[in-house]
Each structure stands twice: as C-alpha cells, then as structure tokens.
Amino acid sequence: MKMAEVLTPLWLSLKLASVTTLILLLACVPLGWALARWRSPWRVFAEAILTLPLVLPPTVLGFYLLLLLGPKGPLAPLHLVFSFWGLVAGSVVFSLPFVLRPVQGAFEAIPQSLLDSAASLGAGPWARFAALAIPLARRGMASAAVLGFAHTLGEFGVVLMIGGDIAGRTRVASIAVFDAVERLDFATAHLMSAILVGTAFLILLFFSWLNRPGAQS
Amino acid sequence: MKVCLALLLAGAAILGGCGRKDAAVQPLRLAAASSFRPVAEQIGALVQHECGVPLQFSSGSSGSLAVQVLHGAPYDVLIAAGEDVPERLARARRVHASASIGQSPLVLYAPAGIARHWDVLALARPRVAPYGAAAKQALVHMAGRPGWPGPARRVYGQSAAQAFSLAASGAAQAALAPLSLVRAAGADPAQWRAIPADWYKQVPTRALLLNARPAARCLMDVLQGRALDPVLHQAGYQRP
C-alpha cells in the first residue's frame, strides 16, 4: 500500500469540502436572509428550485453539469470540467440546500419583534442584518457549515461524472475507495473507509454538540 | 460564529495553496481500460526513467473513458480495449496517433475452482465494456456445451475489473474476465479456463495518443517498446 494513494485523495476531499463550504457560507448567508424576509408568492418556487439538488439523483445533476461545463456547453470557456474547480462548482450546486436550508431556518426563527425594536431604535437594514441577525443565527450557520462539509465529503456520483477519476486532480476519497475495491486492494479500501467513517462520526458528534438541548442560542 | 470564522480561515488557507501544484512538472496522464490496469500499475518507474515525467493513471471501462475524453478530460494517452473506442475517437479527431499493444484473452474465472454449475456469473456491461460484449458472445457458445457451466443468473459490472472483483470478492461465483486481471490476482490455474478464441470477437488493445506533447509521444514509445514485453507477457497479453 502506497501512503500517497491514501493521503492524496483524502487531502483532495478535505480541500474540496472546505472550499465548497466556504463558498456556500458566503453565498447562503445573504441568500438565506433574503429568502427569510421575502414575502411573495414566488418564494415557494425559488425555494423549490434551490432545494432541487436535495432530491435529484447525483447522476442527473452530474449529467447536466457535464453538458453545461463540457467542450460544447455554454460554460466551456471556463475550462472547469475534469478540474478541481469543476468539482467545486458541482459540489456547490449539489450541497447548496444542505447549507441554505439551515441558514434560512435560523434567520426565520429570529422573532420579528426583535428586528422591529432594532429598527425603532434607529438600526438600518444592514445594521439589523450584521449586528443582530447574524449573531442570533450563528448556531444555524455553524450547523449548515457542518452539514455542507459532511455532504461534500461523501459525494460520489457528481464528482465522478464531472471530474472523472484523475489522480491528484479529481480523485477524491470516495472515488479512491471505489478504485481500491475494484482492484481488490482491500487494505487501502479499509484504511480509507475507516478514516472516512471516523471523520463522519466526529462531524456528526460536533453537529449534535452544536444542537444539544440547552445550548445557548 | 467562531466555528464559521475558523472554517472561513481554513478555506482561505486551502485556497491559497491551490495554485502551487500547477507550477510543478506536469505528470503524464494515462487513461487505461480496466483490463490494462495491472500493466499500468507496473510501468510507473519505467516511464519516469524513459520520459523523465511521473505517470498518473486512471482506469475504467473503455466506453466511459472515451466519454470523458470527448468531454475534455486531460489525458495524454488512452489505452482502449476493443475497436469501437479507437474508431469513435478518431472520427471525433481526438487521436494524434495509435498503436497496437496486444490482446489479453477472455477467460472463465471461478475462485472456488471451475465447476459445472454456478448460481451467479459476473460479466462487464456489454454496452460500455468490450470484454462484456465478448463475454456475451462467449455465453451463447457456452450454453448447453458439455463441460461448460449451464445457465446462471448474470450480474454486471461497469468494467471488466468490476466484474472480476465481483467474483474475486465472492459476491458472484464466477466471472468472464480478461486473463490480465486473473493473472494480476495471482489466481491458481485450477481457478480459470481459457475461452476458445473462436467463441468471441477478439478484443485488441490499442494505445491512442491524445496529446502531441513530447512526453506523451515518449509514453507511446514506451508502450510499443520491447522493454514492456516482460510486463505484458506476465499479465497475459499477446503482442501483435
């Protein structure tokens, strides 16, 4: 067993999950806030579209992303397909609802009376968002980050379809486990799977700790 | 909030390190049909010595690798089993040069020993894996022949390697797979039996040059050179 075969995909998965989570947090905090405040009949349509990746088979998502990013697709000039940043693009779409929903839920849980009081004391929209809503929704945001990270770490279908299986570039841990099993290298498959199981357990432990009863909201 | 901040900082640190690897030597990227994987695993040092560039390889069914190439996968050389993929990629003008590597015969593999009957037989999916198509043809000849197994429930792998691993892991009792995979697993001669050559259309293995850079041409030379003969012979390949 070569340690590089174990460590490189794990590092790539970690990098992919971290970058994806970072991008999703930056996108979903303002988006979640906007959705939570939006009073319109169109809101349900927007929510349904943004939640689609939650229920779509990863292969469907991967197929459309491949067409979109591929050499004949409208986003071909970005050269994202079969690259790390292509995986990031796919993961952001695939994990979007896992981050957006908890963030939106956390913002919706803030009592309107608090926001009204802040407004009556002279706080503008930005001040209410930055100084009141974000601190109050911090646990929801942390939970969203944990869920987004964990979900990206376990991706298989989307990354295989738009990333292929290129060593050091798009071969993430889940694909490397599949590879190892296919070539009957069960020692490598066991080691990588054990690391992934341990990581997943720690992530879920952290998630439960964040949402423990009686934790400060 | 601290958790989110920590994640943001970690992500930023990782982002900062993302571009560094691009500056390093561009490795040779070989996409190999899963039947060729045992050979690809052994030629890294030879390629590094001959071409001065590290070799990275990916493997899968020839059909799925061809789809990746057509969608822009950055492989330098593709080792394809069968005739369809080389023709399809040549029509798409993706091939700069091609060379015959040889062929690995189809065999019937059963970890518990060759028997008259099995419940479950694994083969590669014929539509994406040339060895699956060959296995399907062989099964037609096998049916009802004395000395060959009777009908069994078929299970399909996405590639020849996956079909082989289904049998090797015990999920299926036997598999129709290329000899290269059987040899690589160190199978005993009692565990496999060659399929008569006229029972299926032979599966030639070809190397397709997809990138004209000098290192890729060097890899093509290595694949055609005599230095590879012992590895190919050991893996059960018959040179053209």
Side-chain angles (χ1 to χ4, degrees), chain A residues 16 24 34 107-108 133 138 158 185 191 196 214-215:
Chain A
L16 177 64
L24 280 172
F107 283 136
E108 283 170 348
R138 64 187 186 278
V158 172
D185 183 359
L191 179 60
L196 286 175

Side-chain angles (χ1 to χ4, degrees), chain A residues 15 22 85 165 167 171, chain B residues 8 14-15 37 56-58:
Chain A
K15 196 164 84 172
L22 173 71
W85 290 103
D165 175 15
R171 184 180 293 161
Chain B
L8 284 169
I14 287 167
L15 271 169
R37 180 170 201 145
Q56 291 181 343
F57 75 93
S58 308

Side-chain angles (χ1 to χ4, degrees), chain A residues 15 18-19 22 66 71 81-82 85 134 138 141-142 145 164-169 171 178 181-184 206, chain B residues 1 3-4 7-8 14-15 21 29 37 41 56-58 68 70-75 159 161-162 164-165 168:
Chain A
K15 196 164 84 172
S18 302
V19 173
L22 173 71
L66 191 62
V81 75
F82 302 110
W85 290 103
I134 288 186
R138 64 187 186 278
M141 281 159 36
D165 175 15
I166 303 170
R169 187 162 163 159
R171 184 180 293 161
F178 180 77
V181 171
E182 200 173 69
R183 64 173 189 267
L184 303 176
F206 183 54
Chain B
M1 201 61 202
V3 176
C4 295
L7 272 168
L8 284 169
I14 287 167
L15 271 169
K21 206 173 178 180
R29 294 209 165 90
R37 180 170 201 145
E41 280 175 341
Q56 291 181 343
F57 75 93
S58 308
Q68 288 183 21
L70 289 171
H71 280 90
Y75 298 124
S159 64
Q162 202 184 14
F164 175 77
S165 70

Side-chain angles (χ1 to χ4, degrees), chain B residues 18 22 36 50 71-72 85 100-102 142 162-163 182 186 231:
Chain B
C18 279
D22 295 341
F36 195 77
E50 294 291 325
H71 280 90
V85 164
S100 177
I101 300 292
M142 211 179 279
Q162 202 184 14
V182 176
V231 183

Side-chain angles (χ1 to χ4, degrees), chain B residues 131-165:
Chain B
Y131 276 100
K136 197 176 162 188
Q137 293 160 11
L139 281 170
V140 173
H141 290 275
M142 211 179 279
R145 294 243 181 181
W148 289 92
R153 186 163 65 88
R154 296 178 195 177
V155 291
Y156 295 93
Q158 287 300 322
S159 64
Q162 202 184 14
F164 175 77
S165 70

